[in-house]
Amino acid sequence: MYSVIVVPPACARPDGQIRIATGEQLGFGRAATGGGLTIGHEGVPRIAGEITAHRNFWMLSNLSADQTYVVENPEGAGEHIKVGPGRLDAPVPFEFARVVLPAAGDLLTFDVWAPRHTFRSADRHALSGAVTAPAFTLDRTKRYFAVLTALCEPRLRGELHVPLPAVEQLVERLRPVWPTVSRSAVYWNIDYLALKLRLRPGPDTAEPGQRVNGKKESLVSLALRFDLVREDDLVALAAAPSGVGR
């Protein structure tokens, strides 16, 4: 059974996809042969790399002499791994992945799917004792969650290299769902989130604007790293949140 599907650049139909089973390998490069993936660009090495399927994940070998490859998680709001030149069999855990190849000033991509991921949860019904305390407690109906979602929105929409929204931009973004929003209310919610998620505030000697920017970066990093905010949560910006500021 096929465990990994490689989607070549500009592939528009399923019959253009390449399927490989556990233990099989697929080479790629400018001069790929034997059913490999050919990438016709002068900046791509003739033998650029190799993909190996292994059950519910896959491995990437970078056969370039001097280029680092990046494997992005398109659903991970910036999550990625780097595979350096000459690295063999780097495991890639993403169910959906995008391989990015730097090529003479261009960034070329192709997708790799590993749809056979399996999941399991232990049966705890027979265990005695107190239940495990939740790692994070967030109420998606509160305004602080709308503020956090607005902070994370650019990353969730794939805008990985743009600055995070300034407070003024957050006010404008939130106004349709929170008509009375103000700068001070947004500042208050950012401070509250930093406290609620146990993030340390910036040094007391820092300027107020710098402290807020540091908190915003820390909040977004934590929220996206642990999936506290997902793409589905963007609906919080389309429906008025209930409850008071907290």
Side-chain angles (χ1 to χ4, degrees), residues 36-125:
L37 174 61
T38 301
I39 304 176
H41 190 290
E42 62 180 5
V44 175
R46 287 169 292 180
I47 301 175
E50 193 172 67
I51 291 169
T52 303
H54 185 77
R55 296 184 180 178
N56 57 5
F57 71 97
W58 56 281
M59 297 178 289
L60 175 64
S61 294
N62 180 352
L63 303 181
S64 164
D66 54 8
Q67 294 287 357
T68 294
Y69 299 159
V70 174
V71 184
E72 300 175 342
N73 178 4
E75 299 183 322
E79 184 180 21
H80 69 278
I81 62 173
K82 296 189 292 185
V83 182
R87 170 68 192 276
L88 301 179
D89 296 332
V92 179
F94 309 142
E95 184 171 353
F96 302 102
R98 179 160 299 138
V99 180
V100 184
L101 310 177
D106 294 325
L107 293 177
L108 308 180
T109 66
F110 62 88
D111 293 343
V112 180
W113 304 341
R116 293 184 59 196
H117 278 204
T118 55
F119 300 89
R120 177 180 180 272
S121 180
D123 184 3
R124 297 178 174 84
H125 292 91

Side-chain angles (χ1 to χ4, degrees), residues 138 144-153 193 197 219-220 223 229:
L138 294 176
Y144 69 72
F145 190 79
V147 172
L148 182 60
T149 303
L151 271 173
C152 295
E153 183 178 22
L193 283 163
L197 297 178
L219 286 169
V220 170
V229 181

Side-chain angles (χ1 to χ4, degrees), residues 171-186:
V171 169
E172 292 304 312
R173 182 68 181 95
L174 291 164
R175 196 176 301 282
V177 298
W178 182 2
T180 60
V181 65
S182 64
R183 285 171 50 90
S184 61
V186 170

Side-chain angles (χ1 to χ4, degrees), residues 8-23:
C11 176
R13 300 193 310 171
D15 58 9
Q17 300 169 0
I18 303 171
R19 289 166 166 77
I20 56 177
T22 293

